Amino acid sequence: MTNNTTPDAGTDALVEDVVSTLRTFELTEYEAKCFVALTRLREGTAKEVSDVADVPRARIYDSMDALQDRGLVSVQESKPRRFRAVSPHEAVDLLERECRSRLDRLGTALPRLGSPNRSTGAGEVWTMEGEAAVAERLATLLADAETEALFAVATDTLLSDDLLDALSAATDRGVDVVVGSPSDAIRDQIREADSGADVVETWTWWESHPIDPGAVTSVLMVDGDALLVSADAATDLPGVRKHRAVWTDSAEAPVVGLMRPLLTSAIRDASRD
């Protein structure tokens, strides 16, 4: 089979990107290059794959054996031997199943590593920073909610898809969820997400919207004991800001006792007006 593909900068960049991605699935560089070459050829001999992949011919056979073991390549025992790649869709499905299997094993094994005799220190408060990290922690706290979640938010950059999904999942579990915001647009966004949350207007932490630099960006209390408070924070880069948060999952943290009545007044009471 003759390879009629004319290389160009765009194709070379795409090949490099796919090879790099495949290597994250524990393929060697030669295996990834061979699979990409065979995908472009659909089927071919060791020589043809070597020419397209720019892999030494002496390494083609062991690479193909490894790819065959992974279910990514079929072999025809002819002379010369011919190789055929599974379709791109099949390859993605196969690699996805492998990843899911590994994650399932990890999800089973990791909890078993924790010491049953060690408890979290009472009243511990943790800090974190970064918009994505804060949004993820908000979603995680909501995922653990059992009875009630009170959430005030003043910036839409924290409303990730995962966070909106966590709000919906919480209400689906029967959790009483109330979301307050000073922003009409944010309240509309949460309503349009059909999360099932009770959405109210609140200005307790804000004098204006958009919020001023350094202002609180979100407050979340779950089941009256887990709490996260985030704020806008400047960085060393001019004009660049990010979110910084403190959070706790301990009802014994003093800040929880301080924030509980304030949240109830700011969000819960507003929902009854």
Side-chain angles (χ1 to χ4, degrees), residues 35 43 55 68 84 211 226 273:
F35 182 73
E43 63 176 67
V55 169
Q68 185 181 24
R84 177 170 179 163
I211 62 174
D273 292 342

Side-chain angles (χ1 to χ4, degrees), residues 213-243:
V216 168
T217 54
S218 71
V219 183
L220 171 66
M221 179 169 284
V222 171
D223 297 335
D225 48 31
L227 175 71
L228 182 147
V229 180
S230 67
D232 169 81
T235 69
D236 293 335
L237 300 175
V240 177
R241 311 189 70 83
K242 62 183 175 184
H243 297 286

Side-chain angles (χ1 to χ4, degrees), residues 5-203:
T5 303
T6 301
D8 56 46
T11 301
D12 288 346
L14 179 59
V15 166
E16 183 177 345
D17 181 54
V18 174
V19 167
S20 177
T21 303
L22 284 170
R23 294 199 64 192
T24 67
F25 292 92
E26 296 187 342
L27 271 68
T28 68
E29 183 175 4
Y30 284 162
E31 290 165 5
K33 285 184 174 181
C34 285
F35 182 73
V36 169
L38 200 55
T39 297
R40 299 174 70 190
L41 291 165
R42 185 53 171 161
E43 63 176 67
T45 64
K47 181 180 184 306
E48 290 167 339
V49 173
S50 176
D51 290 342
V52 174
D54 193 25
V55 169
R57 188 168 175 182
R59 298 302 306 276
I60 295 295
Y61 291 104
D62 61 327
S63 296
M64 288 301 178
D65 287 343
L67 291 170
Q68 185 181 24
D69 290 342
R70 297 283 293 268
L72 293 168
V73 165
S74 297
V75 181
Q76 184 181 77
E77 296 297 340
S78 56
K79 291 188 178 180
R81 292 171 71 191
R82 298 186 66 80
F83 305 96
R84 177 170 179 163
V86 300
S87 70
H89 178 73
E90 290 176 286
V92 171
D93 281 351
L94 187 149
L95 294 173
E96 183 179 9
R97 288 195 299 272
E98 283 188 7
C99 281
R100 177 50 55 192
S101 176
R102 293 174 188 173
L103 289 172
D104 288 344
R105 291 200 303 273
L106 192 61
T108 300
L110 273 178
R112 296 167 60 189
L113 297 175
S115 171
N117 298 319
R118 180 170 180 173
S119 59
T120 301
E124 289 186 343
V125 176
W126 307 89
T127 63
M128 64 191 315
E129 62 182 41
E131 181 179 294
V134 173
E136 183 177 355
R137 177 55 56 183
L138 287 167
T140 299
L141 292 175
L142 283 165
D144 292 334
E146 296 180 356
T147 59
E148 179 187 66
L150 303 177
F151 181 37
V153 58
T155 175
D156 59 2
T157 58
L158 289 175
L159 298 180
S160 64
D161 290 342
D162 286 345
L163 179 55
L164 293 173
D165 289 345
L167 286 170
S168 297
T171 58
D172 288 344
R173 294 193 307 273
V175 177
D176 185 11
V177 180
V178 184
V179 182
S181 178
S183 166
D184 291 335
I186 290 176
R187 295 196 300 273
D188 289 344
Q189 182 178 351
I190 294 172
R191 291 189 184 102
E192 290 168 5
D194 197 23
S195 67
D198 189 5
V199 183
V200 301
E201 181 177 359
T202 182
W203 289 88

